[in-house]
Amino acid sequence: MTNIYLIGFMGAGKSTVAKELASKTGARRIEMDQMIVEQQGMAISEIFEKYGEEHFRELETELLRSFLKEENLVVSCGGGSVLRDENARLMKESGRIVLLTAAPETIYERVRHSTERPILNGNMNVAFIRELMEKRRERYETVADQTIATDGKTAAEICREILM
Ligand code: S3P
């Protein structure tokens, strides 16, 4: 199977769907955020704080580069990883990009207790989420090969759509 890259806003369900997809297909599951945390020995918020967002984006690029020759991966991508052209190109070159979307209210309910999302620290409200989502929307939609609205759907239903 060619790699599947799950993209979309924080809380869109990428990790949950990646787990389900991996167990259904036997593909190897990769959590980009978690892998970066392990490689750096630092929490995402600490990386942002100490080295800044650009540095974190660079780490995402390096990680994506390492998948180029791989197949059979289901990758749950960091919500901002696809904003860089280089990253979107690396994903396209080695797989299919699936965008998961959800309403800002749904996203808020899923992420409101998270302290591990520096972009939302101090901005944990529906209005901010809606605004940032709107800013990123065109980008997400342009790079995606397939788009799935996740509101009200189970992970199993979403997987079926992806594997159809
Ligand atoms: C980010 C999303 C996060 C994480 C980082 C930045 C973003 O990943 O990579 O906090 O810019 O949208 P999740 O989408 O897995 O929460």
Side-chain angles (χ1 to χ4, degrees):
M1 183 184 85
T2 181
N3 297 336
I4 295 178
Y5 293 96
L6 298 175
I7 67 161
F9 206 78
M10 293 164 266
K14 293 164 290 182
S15 300
T16 309
V17 171
K19 274 187 201 143
E20 180 85 13
L21 256 185
S23 80
K24 274 220 164 82
T25 62
R28 181 155 79 98
R29 178 171 65 91
I30 306 265
E31 279 292 327
M32 281 184 63
D33 286 350
Q34 194 185 320
M35 218 161 184
I36 290 173
V37 167
E38 280 164 20
Q39 285 173 351
Q40 301 301 307
M42 244 185 271
I44 304 274
S45 49
E46 207 180 340
I47 301 174
F48 268 68
E49 215 169 279
K50 281 204 171 127
Y51 304 105
E53 181 172 345
E54 258 320 285
H55 177 74
F56 177 73
R57 300 296 175 207
E58 193 52 44
L59 296 174
E60 290 185 313
T61 303
E62 278 167 29
L63 185 56
L64 285 166
R65 228 175 253 142
S66 74
F67 302 150
L68 264 185
K69 293 201 170 62
E70 304 248 6
E71 51 182 31
N72 234 18
L73 301 181
V74 172
V75 186
S76 171
C77 299
S81 57
V82 87
L83 300 175
R84 269 195 179 193
D85 286 345
E86 165 83 353
N87 293 358
R89 191 185 59 74
L90 287 166
M91 292 179 200
K92 286 229 185 271
E93 220 169 284
S94 59
R96 176 156 69 98
I97 303 181
V98 179
L99 168 64
L100 302 183
T101 68
E105 291 78 7
T106 310
I107 299 281
Y108 174 69
E109 284 308 320
R110 290 176 185 164
V111 302
R112 55 187 295 195
H113 297 300
S114 165
T115 52
E116 244 325 291
R117 287 176 166 114
I119 303 269
L120 297 178
N121 283 355
N123 296 308
M124 195 56 93
N125 59 75
V126 175
F128 181 85
I129 290 170
R130 179 177 293 114
E131 198 176 311
L132 183 57
M133 231 176 166
E134 208 38 57
K135 274 194 198 136
R136 289 181 174 183
R137 191 157 65 103
E138 195 184 339
R139 176 68 186 170
Y140 283 148
E141 287 174 357
T142 308
V143 301
D145 296 305
Q146 181 183 7
T147 301
I148 300 176
T150 65
D151 295 277
K153 288 181 192 157
T154 65
E157 284 168 332
I158 297 164
C159 280
R160 266 198 297 280
E161 287 187 42
I162 294 174
L163 297 172
M164 232 162 19

